[in-house]
Amino acid sequence: MAPAGKLSGFRREGHHWFSDAGLPSDMNVSIEGVTFHLHKFPLVSKCGKIARTYEESKNTYDETLTMVLEGFPGGPDTFLIVAKFCYGFRLEMTAKNVVLVHSAAEYLEMTDEYEEGNLLSKSESFFHKNILRNWKDCILALQSSEHVLSRAENFHLVDKCLNALSTMACTDPSLFGWPMMMYGSFQSPGGSILWNGINTGARIRSSESEWWFEDISYLSVGLFEKLIKTMQARGMRPETVAGAIMYYSKKHLPGLGRWQGGKGGKTRTVASFSLTPATVDQRVLLESIEKLLPQKKGKSFCRFLLGLLRVASILNVDQTCTESLEKRIGMQLELATLDSLLIPAYADSDALYNTDCIEHIVHHFISTESNLTAFSPSSLDLQASSSSSESLKKVARLIDSYIAEIASDVNLKPGKLRALAQALPESSRSLHDGLYRALDIYFKAHPWLSDSEKEDLCNIIDYQKLSIHACAHASQNDRLPLRVILQVLFFEQLHLRTALAGCLNTLDGENAPAATVTASARGDTAGEIVQRDGWVAVVRENRVLKVDMDRMSTRVGELEEEFGKIKQEMKTVTKSHSSRGSPRLLARKLGCKLVPRFSDAQPESLDRSVSTPRPSVDRARRSHKSRHTESFS
């Protein structure tokens, strides 16, 4: 080789490179429009491909051999390094060009058969000794291999880099102490400067599992996918893999940051300052990372999946990818939040929100048995799993809130609302107050709906599952059809009757044990009372008890008389025709009374009473003076 002080023996003039050897050139090598004017002997002695070409051209009369190297790895810049090596100059090999130089040496067949210690063996030795032991250089070498990926894969250079990176990422560096070669002799992963192996004061972040997220986010989608698969095969924890994928996606998919949970703002490492950001096809990225996601469940992870689904609807990704995301979300829908479910409709749709994908997610939740296990509680703000019945109730409350949120959209069709409400089974809702609230908002935003359409939507509500407060609000709601109001009134009376019966049973239950205790105590201590206080105290106690019994008997009689009046009024209403009286006046009249027994007031009587001609209904509605509130909440 040339002396260390002699750094270069080539000069450039436009698109031509010339050697400073002082001899006329007898070989021209053209690469991508750049011509190198060189000499035969230095190249033929080390390059098998050029030697064969030279032997084949000996019989020609041209004194200057001209070669055109098509598809040369690394282009003219890499060939300049090869030419300098052939002329004996200093070999300029770094982490950024070692893969290119190795591929160029393989292309020119620069093996030890032509000269011992040839470029192929030197580049391979440098790669194993210097690159694979250093995290920063390994990342740089892997990123530079993009241009010669097929050749680098043939020589397993990419696989060796991936294995080295996965080993260093899966290993806790604090187990071996510092300094380590992954960041160089004087640098720790967190950026702390080491002096003679002693930390200068900054906290080393080597024990944190996400210290490498920023570095690998500079890789292309293909290399990132290969690296994640290598880490998964090595047994990396699923939460760590998910964290790396979420970080990479957040960086390359604009708008996804607000949907990603977990920590943000990772510290830049040494490698990040010398890396070039990768050019990423967002659609290819989303379709690729969906296949890499682990089969786990977690609150932040579910939010991230919903963010991916939102971006997928914008990018119009493959239908298979969208369906897979919907299925993943459906298997952990109980961990979702209302704001993350509000996915806008970006396709040709008049509605504001994409209700179809939410309906698909709910169907996946119902039909697919979730066998997902939760992440480690210490990682991604995760939530412990619950039983299937609790999950079903959570999802029902979530969907009711979602319907109420989108009900104000004037373009929302009644069929979409009905489909969402009926996607869940009846057993999922113990109360239908949420459905009633959603319908009330929908009727307020859609005043043009006919009574038949409103009645059709109200059929999704089970009036027996409305609370007493919801019944009170619905009985005075002018937006509801009269048939619905009368049914609500009927079940409101049933609620009142049930509540009254419960109170009476409670009083009976409290009095019975007290009477038993009093009687037994009186039997045990009767002799003592007579001996101590005489018969006067016993008579006084009996009088007090008799007064209480008379008062209770009078109250019971009043209640029975009130029940009889209500029963007689209900029979009169059933026999009379609707034209004899206004249904609204009847509802007001019944609303202030206690309810008769269930056996005396059947729902059929209400159904017969509401078959009123439309003009009379309108007159009754105009004369109605109810204290109606704007909406039920």
Side-chain angles (χ1 to χ4, degrees):
M1 285 194 175
K6 191 174 182 180
L7 299 180
S8 178
F10 293 85
R11 70 180 186 279
R12 182 169 185 172
E13 298 178 2
H15 293 285
H16 298 270
W17 281 93
F18 296 93
S19 173
D20 292 337
L23 299 176
S25 173
D26 57 2
M27 175 177 286
N28 297 331
V29 180
S30 179
I31 300 174
E32 299 179 5
V34 179
T35 302
F36 290 84
H37 302 273
L38 306 175
H39 303 87
K40 297 177 182 178
F41 178 74
L43 299 179
V44 170
S45 62
K46 292 182 174 63
C47 303
K49 185 179 181 67
I50 296 179
R52 283 200 312 274
T53 304
Y54 174 72
E55 292 294 332
E56 294 172 357
S57 63
K58 277 185 177 181
N59 298 327
T60 62
Y61 296 98
D62 295 336
E63 295 182 358
T64 302
L65 176 63
T66 302
M67 294 182 60
V68 179
L69 301 181
E70 299 289 346
F72 185 81
D77 294 337
T78 304
F79 185 81
L80 180 61
I81 298 175
V82 174
K84 289 181 179 181
F85 173 79
C86 293
Y87 277 81
F89 292 101
R90 179 190 296 273
L91 182 61
E92 301 171 358
M93 200 174 302
T94 63
K96 291 186 177 182
N97 64 22
V98 62
V99 177
L100 299 176
V101 170
H102 188 280
S103 300
E106 183 270 335
Y107 178 89
L108 296 174
E109 301 176 15
M110 301 178 68
T111 62
D112 289 350
E113 296 178 2
Y114 295 91
E115 182 179 275
E116 186 177 358
N118 210 344
L119 184 59
L120 188 61
S121 60
K122 281 185 176 295
S123 60
E124 188 171 358
S125 175
F126 180 85
F127 180 81
H128 285 87
K129 291 182 179 179
N130 298 87
I131 303 301
L132 296 182
R133 298 177 57 192
N134 190 294
W135 171 271
K136 177 187 67 174
D137 292 340
C138 206
I139 290 285
L140 293 172
L142 195 59
Q143 189 184 43
S144 65
S145 67
E146 281 287 339
H147 306 288
V148 291
L149 192 58
S150 58
R151 290 183 175 275
E153 287 179 341
N154 291 336
F155 281 86
H156 305 289
L157 298 182
V158 173
D159 292 339
K160 291 177 181 178
C161 283
L162 295 176
N163 289 328
L165 289 175
S166 61
T167 300
M168 288 184 279
C170 294
T171 305
D172 186 1
S174 63
L175 298 176
F176 306 99
W178 291 96
M180 288 182 62
M181 289 302 295
M182 60 167 46
Y183 275 85
S185 301
F186 304 101
Q187 192 77 31
S188 69
S192 303
I193 303 300
L194 302 179
W195 180 75
N196 288 340
I198 301 174
N199 187 10
T200 57
R203 185 171 64 90
I204 297 178
R205 297 171 56 90
S206 60
S207 60
E208 297 185 3
S209 59
E210 68 272 9
W211 58 266
W212 45 273
F213 289 179
E214 173 70 13
D215 291 341
I216 67 172
S217 66
Y218 285 83
L219 299 177
S220 65
V221 177
L223 290 175
F224 177 80
E225 183 178 359
K226 292 177 182 294
L227 178 58
I228 292 297
K229 289 182 178 179
T230 304
M231 291 179 174
Q232 289 175 333
R234 190 169 290 275
M236 177 171 283
R237 297 168 58 189
E239 54 265 28
T240 306
V241 173
I245 296 174
M246 292 164 68
Y247 190 97
Y248 188 90
S249 303
K250 177 183 176 182
K251 185 168 185 176
H252 296 286
L253 293 176
L256 188 62
R258 61 171 300 198
W259 303 108
Q260 182 191 8
K263 299 179 180 179
K266 305 294 188 298
T267 302
R268 279 181 172 267
T269 60
V270 179
S272 304
F273 291 109
S274 55
L275 286 172
T276 303
T279 303
V280 173
D281 186 336
Q282 296 180 354
R283 182 173 179 177
V284 174
L285 167 62
L286 201 151
E287 294 176 354
S288 299
I289 63 176
E290 186 278 324
K291 301 174 183 177
L292 298 176
L293 295 172
Q295 294 291 338
K296 291 287 185 178
K297 63 189 303 184
K299 192 172 182 180
S300 297
F301 190 61
C302 181
R303 187 178 182 87
F304 170 73
L305 292 175
L306 284 164
L308 285 183
L309 184 60
R310 172 187 290 255
V311 177
S313 62
I314 300 175
L315 300 177
N316 195 21
V317 299
D318 184 69
Q319 185 64 26
T320 304
C321 177
T322 302
E323 292 176 355
S324 179
L325 285 173
E326 290 174 352
K327 185 175 181 180
R328 286 177 179 270
I329 297 169
M331 298 177 70
Q332 49 189 311
L333 184 56
E334 70 275 9
L335 303 179
T337 56
L338 175 59
D339 60 332
S340 59
L341 288 180
L342 297 174
I343 301 176
Y346 297 101
D348 297 333
S349 175
D350 295 333
L352 293 177
Y353 299 101
N354 189 349
T355 58
D356 292 335
C357 68
I358 303 300
E359 184 179 352
H360 297 161
I361 291 172
V362 175
H363 285 306
H364 284 302
F365 172 78
I366 298 299
S367 60
T368 306
E369 182 179 356
S370 178
N371 54 359
L372 299 181
T373 56
F375 285 104
S376 167
S378 61
S379 54
L380 294 171
D381 184 25
L382 306 170
Q383 182 172 316
S385 60
S386 56
S387 62
S388 58
S389 61
E390 294 177 356
S391 299
L392 190 61
K393 292 178 181 178
K394 287 181 180 179
V395 171
R397 291 193 294 267
L398 178 64
I399 296 303
D400 289 349
S401 301
Y402 175 79
I403 297 174
E405 189 69 24
I406 67 174
S408 57
D409 179 14
V410 295
N411 294 318
L412 181 63
K413 305 301 181 185
K416 296 289 186 181
L417 189 146
R418 169 183 281 275
L420 279 174
Q422 294 180 336
L424 290 168
E426 288 292 334
S427 59
S428 61
R429 296 181 176 95
S430 57
L431 283 177
H432 279 210
D433 289 10
L435 281 180
Y436 168 69
R437 174 175 174 267
L439 287 182
D440 186 36
I441 297 174
Y442 187 76
F443 293 158
K444 185 177 181 180
H446 301 76
W448 56 84
L449 291 177
S450 62
D451 283 352
S452 60
E453 291 176 325
K454 291 182 178 180
E455 290 177 5
D456 185 59
L457 284 176
C458 288
N459 287 337
I460 65 178
I461 299 178
D462 185 356
Y463 301 107
Q464 298 186 53
K465 292 185 178 181
L466 288 179
S467 66
I468 189 65
H469 302 288
C471 287
H473 184 277
S475 63
Q476 302 179 21
N477 193 344
D478 285 334
R479 288 189 283 268
L480 297 180
L482 286 179
R483 182 183 296 271
V484 174
I485 292 178
L486 291 177
Q487 291 179 356
V488 171
L489 283 171
F490 173 75
F491 288 106
E492 184 182 12
Q493 296 297 319
L494 289 182
H495 279 305
L496 292 174
R497 179 181 180 275
T498 304
L500 179 60
C503 292
L504 293 178
N505 292 335
T506 302
L507 292 175
D508 293 343
E510 292 177 354
N511 292 333
T516 304
V517 172
T518 304
S520 60
R522 187 182 298 110
D524 294 338
T525 61
E528 297 179 2
I529 292 175
V530 171
Q531 293 177 2
R532 185 182 64 234
D533 299 327
W535 59 271
V536 178
V538 177
V539 172
R540 186 183 296 112
E541 182 180 358
N542 289 336
R543 287 178 179 176
V544 173
L545 291 175
K546 184 177 180 180
V547 171
D548 292 339
M549 292 297 293
D550 292 341
R551 189 178 302 167
M552 182 63 68
S553 178
T554 303
R555 179 57 179 164
V556 171
E558 292 175 356
L559 292 176
E560 289 179 351
E561 183 180 357
E562 188 71 12
F563 289 162
K565 291 180 181 179
I566 294 176
K567 180 179 178 180
Q568 187 64 30
E569 290 178 1
M570 291 298 294
K571 289 181 179 180
T572 305
V573 170
T574 304
K575 294 179 181 179
S576 62
H577 192 267
S578 58
S579 61
R580 299 178 183 177
S582 171
R584 181 68 69 178
L585 296 177
L586 171 60
R588 188 192 308 173
K589 185 176 182 180
L590 294 179
C592 62
K593 295 291 183 179
L594 294 175
V595 72
R597 293 182 178 86
F598 183 75
S599 59
D600 299 330
Q602 295 298 332
E604 287 78 0
S605 63
L606 289 178
D607 293 337
R608 290 192 295 268
S609 65
V610 298
S611 58
T612 309
R614 192 67 234 178
S616 63
V617 171
D618 295 335
R619 289 194 299 271
R621 182 171 287 183
R622 286 194 298 268
S623 63
H624 179 59
K625 298 179 180 180
S626 60
R627 296 172 301 164
H628 171 61
T629 55
E630 284 299 325
S631 62
F632 171 73
S633 65

